[in-house]
Amino acid sequence: MRRPLHPAVRVALGVLGPLLLLAAWQAYVRLADVDPILLPAPTDVAASLVDDRSLLWDAFVVTGQEVLLGLATALVLGAGLAILMHLSAIVRAMLGPLVIGIQAVPIPVLAPVLVFWLGFGVGPKIVIVAIICFFPVVINTLDALDRVDPDLGRLLQTMGASRRQRLRWVELPAALPAALSGAKVAVAIAGIAAVFAEYAGAEQGSEGLGLLINSARFSLATDRAFAAVFILAVFAVLTTGALALAQRLLAPWAHRRPGAPR
Amino acid sequence: MGYPGGSVRVQSPPSGPAAARPLTARGIVRRFGDLAVLDGVDLDVAPHETVALVGPSGCGKSTLLEMVCGLQAPDAGTLDAAPAALMPQRDLLLPWLDARDNVALPLRLAGSGRREARAAADALLDRVELGRFARSRPDELSGGMRQRVSFLRALATERELLCLDEPFGALDAITREELRHWLAERLEERPRSVLLVTHDVEEAALLGDRVIVLGPRPAGVVARISVDAGPARRREATDPAVVDARRRIHDALRTAMRGDEVAAT
């Protein structure tokens, strides 16, 4: 069996991995004399993070809001739809193909329609992030609901439990860890979804990281574009960590403690 | 709810004088497609009596138990049962609830408030000195401890009829013996009517007041054996009456199996 690492060692290794990558990247750019417009050195990106911090922060606030609201919408609607599909064979048959089909629609096709309906504000971006994050939440939750031990439901039946009580006491708690796992998968792609959503346009003064990346590329400020990407990556790591923590707090039974009696 | 051919009557609690017998089953037949599982089984459990149901694997013992618990209906025959509490072979404790809330679960489902149900569960756990495990989740308990909690959950319902489905089947020999004593003590403290399904002949002789032996599929009752060995709590495997009961159960099973082989040739 794989031995678990001490938490401090795990964090140190988690920092060391990216640092090694950055060192290799720095060495490559310097030794191969790569054009900074094509690929800036990590030190240039770091300099941009400091110099453009106000610009980057304002853009991050917008994108962060889109990601978190989109993700929350996906979690609520995705889990809700999964429960409906679990309870009703008709809903499942009707919406199953639709859920998969919508996932295949490219965002650039969808974005203009949503902007037309909802305007250039934050609305269409939240919808796009929600649509992208929706799929892993629905699939994971539905799968977990389907895999609940049927004997648990039968036992509750002998206690006179109603369908609603079986859902409340057995199926929902059993599906919770999987729904949060779905959200963890979703959060990794939510940032990309927000960036693409922003390409469809935004109101003056409410540009997020996506538009910042776009304008930086046009003005050949590649270091600023990379600084924005760096922020997106760190944000994804932090939100995934927050979800993992939520999973431990909300579903502690899903993490078996080492040394527990069997 | 419609039943194909049999009739089921669940007595409404509390049982009146007319329903003094917690379980009466007559001519129970159950088929799964062309496969006949139970063929005309008669079964009674008297108040505060422990009846052990023994038979070869696949003879329909658990099917019969599920009928008594209302999870299945007979294809023919009549079943008149008091509301039953089930203790399954696997403990089936809810992993997200601690021991106290698992014991309190049937009370919550019956409409009790959280505080009231927890107080009742705490009282049950304290009485058997398991109070210190009240806040432990099932994954923090040993197999024997989980089965104890599972039994207390069945007791918590205050239902007159307890259905125990191979309650020690998943445990090692020493834990099984400990738990059997523990269970006999609990039943002496709070007498209930018990239908115990087991494939363990010794277990049946040690716990049962009567043992019903089912034959191979399609199963009917091949023997009804009284165990006159005193209270279950004080029985030992070496008691002459227990040894005698075991021998008679074995003989009945062997005869039934031999008859099955003769019929098959």
Side-chain angles (χ1 to χ4, degrees):
Chain A
M1 205 185 110
R2 211 177 45 161
R3 234 180 54 205
L5 292 170
H6 188 276
V9 175
R10 212 172 54 225
V11 170
L13 287 173
V15 174
L16 182 67
L19 279 180
L20 284 175
L21 176 74
L22 289 176
W25 173 4
Q26 182 80 21
Y28 167 68
V29 169
R30 291 288 176 244
L31 294 174
D33 202 16
V34 179
D35 186 343
I37 291 172
L38 188 67
L39 182 67
T43 44
D44 297 339
V45 177
S48 169
L49 276 171
V50 176
D51 297 342
D52 302 325
R53 59 183 178 279
S54 158
L55 198 66
L56 286 164
W57 174 256
D58 290 346
F60 166 70
V61 169
V62 174
T63 305
Q65 192 186 355
E66 292 161 3
V67 166
L68 293 180
L69 289 175
L71 190 67
T73 310
L75 253 177
V76 171
L77 294 182
L81 183 68
I83 292 166
L84 274 180
M85 287 168 79
H86 173 68
L87 292 176
S88 161
I90 295 170
V91 173
R92 191 179 192 136
M94 270 175 69
L95 298 185
L98 203 62
V99 169
I100 298 166
I102 284 178
Q103 186 67 14
V105 177
I107 295 169
V109 175
L110 210 59
V113 187
L114 289 170
V115 168
F116 177 72
W117 284 337
L118 302 171
F120 281 98
V122 82
K125 283 91 176 175
I126 292 170
V127 173
I128 286 172
V129 173
I131 288 173
I132 299 291
C133 297
F134 187 66
F135 185 73
V137 174
V138 174
I139 296 298
N140 273 280
T141 310
L142 190 58
D143 191 43
L145 286 168
D146 288 346
R147 278 188 291 110
V148 172
D149 185 348
D151 285 346
L152 286 175
R154 290 164 69 77
L155 179 72
L156 259 74
Q157 255 179 293
T158 69
M159 298 176 188
S162 64
R163 184 71 193 87
R164 195 179 57 80
Q165 284 179 316
R166 295 210 303 277
L167 189 70
R168 149 109 182 61
W169 288 97
V170 173
E171 286 154 318
L172 291 185
L176 181 65
L180 290 171
S181 285
K184 274 200 289 191
V185 174
V187 85
I189 52 174
I192 303 172
V195 165
F196 277 106
E198 287 174 12
Y199 285 178
E203 283 163 354
Q204 195 71 35
S206 71
E207 289 100 346
L209 288 171
L211 279 177
L212 188 141
I213 290 169
N214 231 8
S215 60
R217 276 168 52 217
F218 280 122
S219 57
L220 304 181
T222 320
D223 49 352
R224 196 187 305 150
F226 270 77
V229 170
F230 175 78
I231 290 171
L232 280 173
V234 171
F235 184 50
V237 171
L238 292 179
T239 34
T240 308
L243 278 168
L245 187 68
Q247 207 171 14
R248 276 185 178 274
L249 293 175
L250 294 172
W253 66 89
H255 303 272
R256 190 152 66 82
R257 292 174 200 180
R262 302 306 305 148
Chain B
M1 185 171 160
Y3 297 119
S7 84
V8 175
R9 193 176 83 85
V10 178
Q11 299 163 10
S12 47
S15 300
R21 199 168 277 277
L23 175 65
T24 309
R26 291 286 172 268
I28 298 294
V29 173
R30 185 72 174 114
R31 291 184 206 92
F32 294 99
D34 291 336
L35 183 72
V37 175
L38 295 169
D39 186 20
V41 172
D42 294 345
L43 181 67
D44 297 276
V45 177
H48 299 177
E49 182 188 34
T50 297
V51 173
L53 202 57
V54 182
S57 292
C59 75
K61 303 184 291 282
S62 293
T63 303
L64 194 57
L65 200 74
E66 290 202 347
M67 284 184 200
V68 175
C69 292
L71 292 172
Q72 291 193 40
D75 291 310
T78 57
L79 186 70
D80 184 4
L86 174 67
M87 178 188 179
Q89 179 175 3
R90 292 190 295 136
D91 56 74
L92 294 181
L93 298 178
L94 300 184
W96 37 90
L97 300 183
D98 59 24
R100 173 172 73 173
D101 282 340
N102 265 294
V103 174
L105 178 64
L107 303 173
R108 296 295 311 276
L109 293 173
S112 296
R114 182 189 295 185
R115 192 174 299 176
E116 188 189 341
R118 280 184 172 171
D122 278 337
L124 268 174
L125 286 160
D126 286 341
R127 191 171 308 146
V128 295
E129 289 166 10
L130 289 181
R132 65 186 188 282
F133 298 106
R135 305 306 306 275
S136 304
R137 280 200 319 266
D139 64 346
E140 296 163 328
L141 299 172
S142 66
M145 204 63 85
R146 284 201 296 266
Q147 281 301 81
R148 283 171 165 88
V149 174
S150 169
F151 180 72
L152 293 179
R153 176 179 60 188
L155 276 189
T157 58
E158 295 290 344
R159 291 181 176 183
E160 167 52 27
L161 184 58
L162 286 184
C163 290
L164 313 183
D165 189 5
E166 309 259 13
F168 317 119
L171 302 173
D172 62 85
I174 292 173
T175 313
R176 196 156 57 212
E177 198 181 318
E178 274 176 19
L179 199 59
R180 197 175 58 226
H181 276 286
W182 184 86
L183 198 131
E185 278 174 26
R186 302 290 79 77
L187 287 172
E188 198 169 88
E189 282 168 13
R190 297 166 77 96
R192 300 286 174 94
S193 311
V194 178
L195 182 60
L196 165 74
V197 162
T198 177
H199 62 260
D200 185 333
V201 170
E202 185 174 285
E203 197 170 286
L206 282 166
L207 284 174
D209 297 314
R210 281 190 304 128
V211 180
I212 307 291
V213 183
L214 293 180
R217 228 171 21 217
V221 175
V222 295
R224 296 172 195 275
I225 295 162
S226 288
V227 186
D228 302 314
R233 191 167 69 84
R234 282 189 280 278
R235 291 182 197 173
E236 293 296 336
T238 48
D239 290 351
V242 172
V243 173
D244 178 57
R246 257 169 51 194
R247 185 187 50 75
R248 284 188 290 152
I249 300 165
H250 267 302
D251 287 350
L253 276 171
R254 247 185 246 119
T255 309
M257 297 300 281
R258 211 175 294 134
D260 192 44
E261 279 166 27
V262 171
T265 50

